[in-house]
Amino acid sequence: MATTSSMFMYSLTIQPPTAVTQAILGQFAGTKEQQIVTASGSRLTLQRPDATHGNLTTLLSHDVFGIIRSLAAFRLAGSNKDYIIIGSDSGRITIIEYVPAQNRFNRVHLETFGKSGVRRVIPGQHLAADPKGRACMIASVEKNKLVYVLNRNAQAELTISSPLEAHKNQTLVFAMIALDVGYENPIFAALELDYGDSDQDPTGRAYENADKQLVFYELDLGLNHVVRKWTDTVDRTANMLFQVPGGTDGPSGVLVCGEESITYRHANQEAFRVPIPRRKGATEDPERKRYITAGVMHKMRGTFFFLLQSEDGDLFKVTIDMVEDDNGQPTGEVARLKIKYFDTVPLASSLCILKSGFLFVAAEAGSHHFYQFEKLGDDDNEEVFDSDNFPADPTEPYEPAYFHPRSAENVALVQSIDSMNPMMSCKVANLTDEDAPQIYSICGSGARSNFKTLKHGLSVSEIVESELPSMPSAVWTTKRNREDQYDAYIVLSFANGTLVLSIGETVEEVTDTGFLSSAPTLAVQLLGEDALVQVHPKGIRHIRPGGRINEWPAPQHRSIVAATTNERQVAVALSSGEIVYFEMDVDGSLAEYDEKREMSGTVTCLSLGEVPAGRVRSAFLAVGCDDSTVRILSLDPDSTLENKSVQALTAAPSSLNIMPMADSSSGGSTLYLHIGLYSGVYLRTVLDEVTGELSDTRTRFLGPRPVKLFRVSVQGQPAVLALSSRSWLGYSEPQTKSFMLTPLDYVPLEWGWSFSSEQCTEGMVGIQAQNLRIFNVEKLSNNLLQETIPLCYTPRHFVRHPDHPLFYVISSDANVLAPSTRRRLLADPALVNGDAAVLPPEDFGYPRGKGHWASCIQVVDPVTTKSVLETLELEEIEEAAKQAAVNGASVNQAVVSQAAVNEAAVSMCIASFASQDNETFLVVGTGKDMVTSPRSFTCGFIHVYRFHNNGRSIEFIHKTKTDAPPLALLPFQGRLLAGVGADLKIYDLGMKQLLRKSQCLSVVPNLIVDLQTQGSRIIVADVRESVTYVVYKFAENTLIPFADDTIARYTTATTMLDYETTAGGDKFGNLWALRCPAKASEAADEEGGGAHLVHERGYLQGTSNRLELMVHFFTQDIPTALHKTALVPGGREVLLWGGLMGTLGILVPFVSREDVDFFQSLEGHLRAEDAPLAGRDHLIYRSYYVPVKGVIDGDLCERYARLGRDAKERIAGELDRSVREVERKIADMRTRVAY
Amino acid sequence: MADKLRAQQQLEALQSRYVGTGHADTTKFEWTSNIARDSYASYVGHPPLLQYMAIGLGEPREKVRLQMVEKMVQPVGKPPAVED
């Protein structure tokens, strides 16, 4: 099918994925400093650790438009710069380098070795680079291994050889690393398993006896040939390998980690094994064996150690003792392996130890942690287990090792990096009555689960807030001398006077500054070297050093209404509409120009730009008049106050500001005129530095109040502070230099000015009612603010109360002991002293038990108290209800008499029942004794809860047994619709249980996972077979499926875009929209009975109609929630989706065909001009499972801003537009609807 | 005859290069094993999918990865007895 569609969407990411699949460490900038490169989804992010502040800052984030599967860093001998190898889905090996000067990644090599895509035999899964940077091996899960020799040529450039093969048929690779062998031939070690025999043996004996092998592949650099040098059988459960330092640093070899075993192996050494110690505690199963799931080796000053993490998150320090010779010098022979408990940190996908003494934990779920080492666990009294006491053969019996987990002693958390991964669901609502809605999401897993509120804004740190005696109207700061580093005075203007405060150790009022204190002030300026100017309604006061004061009085019967100043010029507007212009003389005095200019209307605002470096004056004066115009007047001595250009506006301007700012179109700095209107609209236009022409106007609505604009400085960059009903900051995005306008997460201000002091070099001062506030903005890189409320278990679903700003979250964890079980175990009298200590589960996780479920319902208030109001453990609901029953309340006795509940909540909704006077109830679906894989359960239940206290607490009423856990619930026409297994059922609320009113068996082929409805139409999503449209015939009380899909989509989330169209996401990371054919849609809704639908003949074993695919797009991240919503005030509705890895994205519908054509050709040019870094073809990447249809990749289009000037010009030329126009179109697509 | 031989050779080349390429005598066991192994390799190779399953199973990602690769050894049970 052609890729044209009647529906076109523009896909944008508003928050990139935050899940880290792998993190590597290296000196990527070529300096001594180490950086961290992380892979998250398709993004490669370079982070710089700051040792003094103890935090990580993102330097660069690059979307490679491919699946990053593995990363490795290597360094050529004698060089000090690390290169990065990427194993991706492109069927190519990619070597990139970081170019610090341009802050970008540069591809050095791209070598094709196989088909694209993630396949069983195409290398990319495992990647290992020789520690001396001489070779790398890239392997697939099965069979294929390729070795590339890395070298440098005469120009000191990196070269890569053609691949050497080391394939072995029918062999699975579990793990692969490079051995540290010093400068001998590079050796790669792989954990392999040959399944050839077990595939042939019908008795199954070969399968049982299959051995896992540790295989050493040696690359003979002389012969340019790879050989299997050595193999030996290792523990069957082995899953990971770690490199042991070799050469002069250690004995070389590997650590092989398996179930409760860490074994040292090398070709010429004995095997040494230590067990992974088990946790000791009342609630811990003493028989449970652990795996190592992550780890890191660290070398320092001739020694080395490993930090290996078990699946509970416990870090163990593993060291190797060497045999000593007669002189006490270590020989190359290993004596023993030692292990001891180190600390507990969140379960990691990667660990990195920095030379500066930090530990980066890229967490599997929840926020990533950045720790500082306080000590290395050398002199504590943790028990050490060594290999002398344990047999090297894992099958031999041994006494397990135990330890007591304790709070961290060796590492201290210095930074927690917010991560939304895994995001289980999200919703958009405006609960705080702000201009823009907030995004509410449930993320994290286990005890590190969170309820997060996301708000568009920049975080502000307040430094001072102080109340003033009366309401000020304006504030300025000024230095006393041009050479001063910091501001000296704060000048406050009141309705009838002016107050001057001096900034020093303390801020106090001063009276001897020469400022006129009996009148309000219009402007304050440091003029020339050391003179001050105060503009007040009656004149201009020029305060010369030494206290000499020159006063220019305003002409009689006229007053000054607007003023603007810079360090050499002053312009004032009089109430008569005249403009008077002054310039500083050589001797430092202000000289009035004879030319005066009378404007047609009253002047509302004026602006002079800063004096450009090397000039004597700013060439333009911008004048805003109440006839809704802005005029640019020339200040050139030859043509003083002559009109240069005019711009008509939609309302009278309230504020103007001429300011140079960094600009992505020109690559340098451009002069802008910022205009604020009385209507609350903000405009930014480019002011031509030569002609004074205004062009490229961009508009944004900030709020209903008049806009005031101020020049401030953030991170050394000029920025504009725009004040309306909210405070906004306009700045250049640090990476792309494109202009961003983001609200500040702060009180609305009435006036603002820049502020600089010793404590706060780049601050701002503002007035809010009667308060003076000093604050600063530190981070410009993140414009989505998060607020976090911790939850109990992995959240599964949440709903919002229909009237109150409250959310109800269900959460559950498999294989975790419920609190009642934990309490029973802790109450056991046989408990050994010391085992009863309960550690905080956020850090240590919950005690685990196979087959157990812990699950609860929580009431969350994200607005006022920002906390969980009530937690109901499912395990205890019945007991509480029983208590209530004893006390005389009416509860169904029959159901309450069960012992072990072992239920877990799987779905929820809020339904109002027509039979109960439309009272709303919370309905929760649960499953009993569920096993995820292979799927099994005892039965399901539907619980009903009543709201109390405005929804702030809930009360259990009754529960109804169902055949299977109801995975989807939906309020439907005053009753409840439930998807139970493959059946759709309608329930009404009864006194003792729910009453089934109607049902339709096997609506979908497998399992209903989601339900949506509009009118009588129900959209039923199947776990494997896309969606089915069902109509409910009220007269006959029947549910009739009438349309389904042609493609098996493993649906995870759906939403209805309109009555005919459903958008959804699937487990493989696709987004799609399906539409019901008009004829079928009408036929389904025909009046009367549904006989014609029931008797219609099915088509190809499905319903009689098929849905049409409108839109299809591969996002990589698994969509877990979709919503049709508007995100900005006045913006159009977009389709917002949230992904499992923490992505937030939007699909914006196109309105005009011209825009579609424009962006399609832009996309085409960018694919060619800026081909994805990892070598994946962009179009094929977005068409991973199904050809992309009706979607333009906005993330690719936005890369336009990062191109070089030449490439920009070229593309713009091809599109018959200017670079500025192209950038404006791209920026508009985002700013009109989102952030 | 030569054409047939060449076709045969090409097929064999494909089969050796791309594991799972079928032939006229592919058995049900081989076919289903291949599909299952391809699926498991795909689950392991797509990070979001692996995480999705890890959350569902309530296990760490690394353990799920190990289980998946382990299942690739014999994904659909014992091979059928060879009938003579």
PDB file of all heavy atoms in Angstrom, chain A residues 21 120 143 174 199 212 236 311 364 421 848 932 1184, chain B residues 16 34 37-38 46-47 51 56 58 61 63 65 70:
ATOM      1  N   THR A  21      19.763   1.372  28.893  1.00  0.00           N
ATOM      2  CA  THR A  21      20.004  -0.044  28.614  1.00  0.00           C
ATOM      3  C   THR A  21      21.461  -0.389  28.874  1.00  0.00           C
ATOM      4  O   THR A  21      21.773  -1.492  29.270  1.00  0.00           O
ATOM      5  CB  THR A  21      19.644  -0.412  27.167  1.00  0.00           C
ATOM      6  OG1 THR A  21      20.047   0.650  26.317  1.00  0.00           O
ATOM      7  CG2 THR A  21      18.173  -0.633  27.024  1.00  0.00           C
ATOM      8  N   ARG A 120      18.350 -13.402  15.065  1.00  0.00           N
ATOM      9  CA  ARG A 120      19.044 -14.411  15.854  1.00  0.00           C
ATOM     10  C   ARG A 120      20.512 -14.535  15.455  1.00  0.00           C
ATOM     11  O   ARG A 120      21.364 -14.714  16.316  1.00  0.00           O
ATOM     12  CB  ARG A 120      18.326 -15.753  15.630  1.00  0.00           C
ATOM     13  CG  ARG A 120      18.925 -16.897  16.347  1.00  0.00           C
ATOM     14  CD  ARG A 120      17.894 -17.969  16.661  1.00  0.00           C
ATOM     15  NE  ARG A 120      17.193 -18.484  15.505  1.00  0.00           N
ATOM     16  CZ  ARG A 120      17.171 -19.777  15.176  1.00  0.00           C
ATOM     17  NH1 ARG A 120      17.833 -20.659  15.872  1.00  0.00           N
ATOM     18  NH2 ARG A 120      16.475 -20.181  14.145  1.00  0.00           N
ATOM     19  N   LYS A 143      25.330 -18.511  16.902  1.00  0.00           N
ATOM     20  CA  LYS A 143      26.257 -18.801  15.806  1.00  0.00           C
ATOM     21  C   LYS A 143      27.307 -17.745  15.472  1.00  0.00           C
ATOM     22  O   LYS A 143      28.481 -18.022  15.615  1.00  0.00           O
ATOM     23  CB  LYS A 143      25.455 -19.121  14.527  1.00  0.00           C
ATOM     24  CG  LYS A 143      26.313 -19.637  13.396  1.00  0.00           C
ATOM     25  CD  LYS A 143      25.492 -19.789  12.144  1.00  0.00           C
ATOM     26  CE  LYS A 143      26.391 -19.738  10.934  1.00  0.00           C
ATOM     27  NZ  LYS A 143      25.632 -19.585   9.711  1.00  0.00           N
ATOM     28  N   PHE A 174      25.841 -16.703  25.713  1.00  0.00           N
ATOM     29  CA  PHE A 174      25.176 -16.104  26.867  1.00  0.00           C
ATOM     30  C   PHE A 174      25.850 -14.802  27.269  1.00  0.00           C
ATOM     31  O   PHE A 174      25.198 -13.893  27.762  1.00  0.00           O
ATOM     32  CB  PHE A 174      25.183 -17.071  28.051  1.00  0.00           C
ATOM     33  CG  PHE A 174      24.218 -18.203  27.869  1.00  0.00           C
ATOM     34  CD1 PHE A 174      24.531 -19.292  27.074  1.00  0.00           C
ATOM     35  CD2 PHE A 174      22.985 -18.168  28.478  1.00  0.00           C
ATOM     36  CE1 PHE A 174      23.627 -20.316  26.894  1.00  0.00           C
ATOM     37  CE2 PHE A 174      22.079 -19.188  28.303  1.00  0.00           C
ATOM     38  CZ  PHE A 174      22.397 -20.269  27.505  1.00  0.00           C
ATOM     39  N   ASP A 199      19.127 -31.229  20.034  1.00  0.00           N
ATOM     40  CA  ASP A 199      18.145 -31.146  18.955  1.00  0.00           C
ATOM     41  C   ASP A 199      17.947 -32.491  18.272  1.00  0.00           C
ATOM     42  O   ASP A 199      16.977 -32.684  17.554  1.00  0.00           O
ATOM     43  CB  ASP A 199      18.611 -30.108  17.918  1.00  0.00           C
ATOM     44  CG  ASP A 199      17.694 -28.906  17.878  1.00  0.00           C
ATOM     45  OD1 ASP A 199      16.821 -28.809  18.753  1.00  0.00           O
ATOM     46  OD2 ASP A 199      17.862 -28.078  16.979  1.00  0.00           O
ATOM     47  N   LYS A 212      27.562 -26.004  29.559  1.00  0.00           N
ATOM     48  CA  LYS A 212      27.877 -24.641  29.175  1.00  0.00           C
ATOM     49  C   LYS A 212      29.396 -24.525  29.129  1.00  0.00           C
ATOM     50  O   LYS A 212      30.080 -25.009  30.028  1.00  0.00           O
ATOM     51  CB  LYS A 212      27.289 -23.659  30.179  1.00  0.00           C
ATOM     52  CG  LYS A 212      27.009 -22.309  29.583  1.00  0.00           C
ATOM     53  CD  LYS A 212      26.193 -21.443  30.503  1.00  0.00           C
ATOM     54  CE  LYS A 212      24.714 -21.557  30.207  1.00  0.00           C
ATOM     55  NZ  LYS A 212      23.895 -20.739  31.082  1.00  0.00           N
ATOM     56  N   ARG A 236      26.412 -24.759  34.733  1.00  0.00           N
ATOM     57  CA  ARG A 236      25.327 -24.738  33.740  1.00  0.00           C
ATOM     58  C   ARG A 236      24.484 -23.469  33.838  1.00  0.00           C
ATOM     59  O   ARG A 236      23.867 -23.029  32.878  1.00  0.00           O
ATOM     60  CB  ARG A 236      24.447 -25.988  33.971  1.00  0.00           C
ATOM     61  CG  ARG A 236      23.260 -26.135  33.066  1.00  0.00           C
ATOM     62  CD  ARG A 236      23.710 -26.507  31.655  1.00  0.00           C
ATOM     63  NE  ARG A 236      22.566 -26.807  30.817  1.00  0.00           N
ATOM     64  CZ  ARG A 236      21.797 -25.885  30.245  1.00  0.00           C
ATOM     65  NH1 ARG A 236      22.080 -24.624  30.403  1.00  0.00           N
ATOM     66  NH2 ARG A 236      20.774 -26.234  29.507  1.00  0.00           N
ATOM     67  N   GLU A 311      20.678  -9.961  42.433  1.00  0.00           N
ATOM     68  CA  GLU A 311      19.349  -9.539  41.966  1.00  0.00           C
ATOM     69  C   GLU A 311      18.560  -8.789  43.033  1.00  0.00           C
ATOM     70  O   GLU A 311      17.540  -8.191  42.723  1.00  0.00           O
ATOM     71  CB  GLU A 311      18.575 -10.757  41.474  1.00  0.00           C
ATOM     72  CG  GLU A 311      18.441 -11.832  42.529  1.00  0.00           C
ATOM     73  CD  GLU A 311      17.851 -13.111  41.956  1.00  0.00           C
ATOM     74  OE1 GLU A 311      18.633 -13.908  41.422  1.00  0.00           O
ATOM     75  OE2 GLU A 311      16.646 -13.293  42.045  1.00  0.00           O
ATOM     76  N   GLU A 364      17.664  -0.137  36.752  1.00  0.00           N
ATOM     77  CA  GLU A 364      16.732  -0.844  35.863  1.00  0.00           C
ATOM     78  C   GLU A 364      15.374  -0.185  35.892  1.00  0.00           C
ATOM     79  O   GLU A 364      14.673  -0.143  34.897  1.00  0.00           O
ATOM     80  CB  GLU A 364      16.574  -2.281  36.356  1.00  0.00           C
ATOM     81  CG  GLU A 364      17.353  -3.257  35.556  1.00  0.00           C
ATOM     82  CD  GLU A 364      16.798  -4.655  35.697  1.00  0.00           C
ATOM     83  OE1 GLU A 364      15.587  -4.859  35.770  1.00  0.00           O
ATOM     84  OE2 GLU A 364      17.613  -5.556  35.730  1.00  0.00           O
ATOM     85  N   ASN A 421      11.224   5.753  33.986  1.00  0.00           N
ATOM     86  CA  ASN A 421      11.227   4.367  33.532  1.00  0.00           C
ATOM     87  C   ASN A 421      10.964   3.413  34.696  1.00  0.00           C
ATOM     88  O   ASN A 421      11.581   3.570  35.737  1.00  0.00           O
ATOM     89  CB  ASN A 421      12.606   4.073  32.925  1.00  0.00           C
ATOM     90  CG  ASN A 421      12.856   2.612  32.754  1.00  0.00           C
ATOM     91  OD1 ASN A 421      12.114   1.929  32.095  1.00  0.00           O
ATOM     92  ND2 ASN A 421      13.910   2.125  33.388  1.00  0.00           N
ATOM     93  N   ARG A 848      11.093 -11.708  49.147  1.00  0.00           N
ATOM     94  CA  ARG A 848      10.470 -12.400  48.027  1.00  0.00           C
ATOM     95  C   ARG A 848      10.025 -13.798  48.418  1.00  0.00           C
ATOM     96  O   ARG A 848      10.572 -14.413  49.336  1.00  0.00           O
ATOM     97  CB  ARG A 848      11.432 -12.447  46.850  1.00  0.00           C
ATOM     98  CG  ARG A 848      11.797 -11.057  46.372  1.00  0.00           C
ATOM     99  CD  ARG A 848      12.853 -11.077  45.324  1.00  0.00           C
ATOM    100  NE  ARG A 848      12.369 -11.581  44.049  1.00  0.00           N
ATOM    101  CZ  ARG A 848      11.742 -10.836  43.147  1.00  0.00           C
ATOM    102  NH1 ARG A 848      11.508  -9.581  43.380  1.00  0.00           N
ATOM    103  NH2 ARG A 848      11.340 -11.360  42.017  1.00  0.00           N
ATOM    104  N   THR A 932       2.428 -15.512  35.722  1.00  0.00           N
ATOM    105  CA  THR A 932       2.490 -14.745  34.471  1.00  0.00           C
ATOM    106  C   THR A 932       2.815 -15.644  33.281  1.00  0.00           C
ATOM    107  O   THR A 932       2.176 -15.566  32.243  1.00  0.00           O
ATOM    108  CB  THR A 932       3.549 -13.632  34.593  1.00  0.00           C
ATOM    109  OG1 THR A 932       3.363 -12.985  35.832  1.00  0.00           O
ATOM    110  CG2 THR A 932       3.418 -12.652  33.476  1.00  0.00           C
ATOM    111  N   TYR A1184       9.656  -0.472  10.888  1.00  0.00           N
ATOM    112  CA  TYR A1184      10.268  -1.714  11.364  1.00  0.00           C
ATOM    113  C   TYR A1184       9.362  -2.928  11.164  1.00  0.00           C
ATOM    114  O   TYR A1184       9.761  -3.937  10.602  1.00  0.00           O
ATOM    115  CB  TYR A1184      10.607  -1.545  12.841  1.00  0.00           C
ATOM    116  CG  TYR A1184      11.571  -2.548  13.402  1.00  0.00           C
ATOM    117  CD1 TYR A1184      12.155  -3.520  12.601  1.00  0.00           C
ATOM    118  CD2 TYR A1184      11.907  -2.525  14.737  1.00  0.00           C
ATOM    119  CE1 TYR A1184      13.054  -4.421  13.126  1.00  0.00           C
ATOM    120  CE2 TYR A1184      12.797  -3.420  15.272  1.00  0.00           C
ATOM    121  CZ  TYR A1184      13.362  -4.374  14.472  1.00  0.00           C
ATOM    122  OH  TYR A1184      14.233  -5.274  15.000  1.00  0.00           O
TER     123      TYR A1184
ATOM    124  N   SER B  16      23.010 -22.493   5.110  1.00  0.00           N
ATOM    125  CA  SER B  16      24.135 -22.433   6.039  1.00  0.00           C
ATOM    126  C   SER B  16      24.328 -21.008   6.543  1.00  0.00           C
ATOM    127  O   SER B  16      24.758 -20.789   7.660  1.00  0.00           O
ATOM    128  CB  SER B  16      25.399 -22.940   5.358  1.00  0.00           C
ATOM    129  OG  SER B  16      25.823 -21.991   4.412  1.00  0.00           O
ATOM    130  N   ASN B  34      12.587 -23.297  15.195  1.00  0.00           N
ATOM    131  CA  ASN B  34      13.140 -22.100  14.591  1.00  0.00           C
ATOM    132  C   ASN B  34      12.347 -20.867  14.945  1.00  0.00           C
ATOM    133  O   ASN B  34      12.911 -19.828  15.287  1.00  0.00           O
ATOM    134  CB  ASN B  34      13.142 -22.240  13.071  1.00  0.00           C
ATOM    135  CG  ASN B  34      14.505 -22.606  12.593  1.00  0.00           C
ATOM    136  OD1 ASN B  34      15.482 -22.059  13.090  1.00  0.00           O
ATOM    137  ND2 ASN B  34      14.581 -23.543  11.682  1.00  0.00           N
ATOM    138  N   ARG B  37      12.947 -20.021  18.564  1.00  0.00           N
ATOM    139  CA  ARG B  37      14.283 -19.449  18.801  1.00  0.00           C
ATOM    140  C   ARG B  37      14.371 -18.037  18.264  1.00  0.00           C
ATOM    141  O   ARG B  37      14.954 -17.159  18.899  1.00  0.00           O
ATOM    142  CB  ARG B  37      15.340 -20.341  18.135  1.00  0.00           C
ATOM    143  CG  ARG B  37      15.553 -21.628  18.893  1.00  0.00           C
ATOM    144  CD  ARG B  37      16.866 -22.316  18.519  1.00  0.00           C
ATOM    145  NE  ARG B  37      16.963 -23.552  19.268  1.00  0.00           N
ATOM    146  CZ  ARG B  37      16.959 -24.770  18.714  1.00  0.00           C
ATOM    147  NH1 ARG B  37      16.887 -24.911  17.398  1.00  0.00           N
ATOM    148  NH2 ARG B  37      17.034 -25.832  19.475  1.00  0.00           N
ATOM    149  N   ASP B  38      13.783 -17.815  17.104  1.00  0.00           N
ATOM    150  CA  ASP B  38      13.782 -16.453  16.558  1.00  0.00           C
ATOM    151  C   ASP B  38      13.068 -15.510  17.509  1.00  0.00           C
ATOM    152  O   ASP B  38      13.519 -14.386  17.752  1.00  0.00           O
ATOM    153  CB  ASP B  38      13.074 -16.424  15.199  1.00  0.00           C
ATOM    154  CG  ASP B  38      13.942 -16.968  14.095  1.00  0.00           C
ATOM    155  OD1 ASP B  38      15.165 -17.055  14.303  1.00  0.00           O
ATOM    156  OD2 ASP B  38      13.406 -17.344  13.035  1.00  0.00           O
ATOM    157  N   HIS B  46      15.497  -6.730  21.809  1.00  0.00           N
ATOM    158  CA  HIS B  46      14.796  -5.449  21.889  1.00  0.00           C
ATOM    159  C   HIS B  46      14.705  -5.039  23.352  1.00  0.00           C
ATOM    160  O   HIS B  46      13.911  -5.616  24.095  1.00  0.00           O
ATOM    161  CB  HIS B  46      13.393  -5.559  21.298  1.00  0.00           C
ATOM    162  CG  HIS B  46      13.385  -5.768  19.813  1.00  0.00           C
ATOM    163  ND1 HIS B  46      13.381  -7.011  19.233  1.00  0.00           N
ATOM    164  CD2 HIS B  46      13.414  -4.874  18.803  1.00  0.00           C
ATOM    165  CE1 HIS B  46      13.392  -6.867  17.914  1.00  0.00           C
ATOM    166  NE2 HIS B  46      13.412  -5.589  17.625  1.00  0.00           N
ATOM    167  N   PRO B  47      15.470  -4.056  23.771  1.00  0.00           N
ATOM    168  CA  PRO B  47      15.475  -3.709  25.193  1.00  0.00           C
ATOM    169  C   PRO B  47      14.092  -3.407  25.790  1.00  0.00           C
ATOM    170  O   PRO B  47      13.802  -3.873  26.881  1.00  0.00           O
ATOM    171  CB  PRO B  47      16.406  -2.495  25.262  1.00  0.00           C
ATOM    172  CG  PRO B  47      17.270  -2.608  24.068  1.00  0.00           C
ATOM    173  CD  PRO B  47      16.449  -3.271  23.011  1.00  0.00           C
ATOM    174  N   GLN B  51      12.319  -5.549  28.881  1.00  0.00           N
ATOM    175  CA  GLN B  51      11.895  -4.905  30.118  1.00  0.00           C
ATOM    176  C   GLN B  51      10.411  -5.142  30.382  1.00  0.00           C
ATOM    177  O   GLN B  51      10.006  -5.378  31.518  1.00  0.00           O
ATOM    178  CB  GLN B  51      12.175  -3.400  30.036  1.00  0.00           C
ATOM    179  CG  GLN B  51      11.999  -2.750  31.375  1.00  0.00           C
ATOM    180  CD  GLN B  51      12.131  -1.255  31.335  1.00  0.00           C
ATOM    181  OE1 GLN B  51      12.195  -0.642  30.289  1.00  0.00           O
ATOM    182  NE2 GLN B  51      12.175  -0.670  32.500  1.00  0.00           N
ATOM    183  N   GLY B  56       6.496  -7.889  33.799  1.00  0.00           N
ATOM    184  CA  GLY B  56       5.407  -8.850  33.909  1.00  0.00           C
ATOM    185  C   GLY B  56       5.758 -10.016  34.803  1.00  0.00           C
ATOM    186  O   GLY B  56       4.944 -10.496  35.591  1.00  0.00           O
ATOM    187  N   GLY B  58       8.110  -9.998  37.103  1.00  0.00           N
ATOM    188  CA  GLY B  58       8.609  -9.561  38.408  1.00  0.00           C
ATOM    189  C   GLY B  58      10.023 -10.026  38.671  1.00  0.00           C
ATOM    190  O   GLY B  58      10.381 -10.359  39.791  1.00  0.00           O
ATOM    191  N   ARG B  61      15.909  -7.830  34.748  1.00  0.00           N
ATOM    192  CA  ARG B  61      16.084  -7.995  33.297  1.00  0.00           C
ATOM    193  C   ARG B  61      17.110  -9.068  32.956  1.00  0.00           C
ATOM    194  O   ARG B  61      16.908  -9.865  32.064  1.00  0.00           O
ATOM    195  CB  ARG B  61      16.543  -6.664  32.705  1.00  0.00           C
ATOM    196  CG  ARG B  61      15.492  -6.004  31.872  1.00  0.00           C
ATOM    197  CD  ARG B  61      16.060  -4.763  31.243  1.00  0.00           C
ATOM    198  NE  ARG B  61      15.871  -3.616  32.124  1.00  0.00           N
ATOM    199  CZ  ARG B  61      16.406  -2.416  31.885  1.00  0.00           C
ATOM    200  NH1 ARG B  61      17.146  -2.228  30.832  1.00  0.00           N
ATOM    201  NH2 ARG B  61      16.191  -1.426  32.696  1.00  0.00           N
ATOM    202  N   LYS B  63      17.997 -11.674  34.564  1.00  0.00           N
ATOM    203  CA  LYS B  63      17.506 -13.030  34.784  1.00  0.00           C
ATOM    204  C   LYS B  63      16.556 -13.444  33.668  1.00  0.00           C
ATOM    205  O   LYS B  63      16.586 -14.591  33.217  1.00  0.00           O
ATOM    206  CB  LYS B  63      16.785 -13.104  36.133  1.00  0.00           C
ATOM    207  CG  LYS B  63      17.630 -13.715  37.215  1.00  0.00           C
ATOM    208  CD  LYS B  63      16.853 -13.815  38.493  1.00  0.00           C
ATOM    209  CE  LYS B  63      16.355 -15.223  38.757  1.00  0.00           C
ATOM    210  NZ  LYS B  63      15.769 -15.337  40.106  1.00  0.00           N
ATOM    211  N   ARG B  65      16.628 -12.338  30.674  1.00  0.00           N
ATOM    212  CA  ARG B  65      17.468 -12.552  29.491  1.00  0.00           C
ATOM    213  C   ARG B  65      18.062 -13.947  29.521  1.00  0.00           C
ATOM    214  O   ARG B  65      18.028 -14.684  28.538  1.00  0.00           O
ATOM    215  CB  ARG B  65      18.589 -11.507  29.451  1.00  0.00           C
ATOM    216  CG  ARG B  65      19.433 -11.550  28.199  1.00  0.00           C
ATOM    217  CD  ARG B  65      20.692 -10.715  28.353  1.00  0.00           C
ATOM    218  NE  ARG B  65      21.658 -11.310  29.261  1.00  0.00           N
ATOM    219  CZ  ARG B  65      22.595 -12.182  28.888  1.00  0.00           C
ATOM    220  NH1 ARG B  65      22.704 -12.537  27.625  1.00  0.00           N
ATOM    221  NH2 ARG B  65      23.431 -12.686  29.773  1.00  0.00           N
ATOM    222  N   GLU B  70      18.277 -19.412  27.609  1.00  0.00           N
ATOM    223  CA  GLU B  70      18.246 -20.801  28.079  1.00  0.00           C
ATOM    224  C   GLU B  70      17.121 -21.571  27.377  1.00  0.00           C
ATOM    225  O   GLU B  70      17.284 -22.731  27.011  1.00  0.00           O
ATOM    226  CB  GLU B  70      18.022 -20.745  29.590  1.00  0.00           C
ATOM    227  CG  GLU B  70      18.604 -21.831  30.467  1.00  0.00           C
ATOM    228  CD  GLU B  70      20.075 -22.134  30.280  1.00  0.00           C
ATOM    229  OE1 GLU B  70      20.953 -21.397  30.774  1.00  0.00           O
ATOM    230  OE2 GLU B  70      20.322 -23.160  29.635  1.00  0.00           O
TER     231      GLU B  70
END
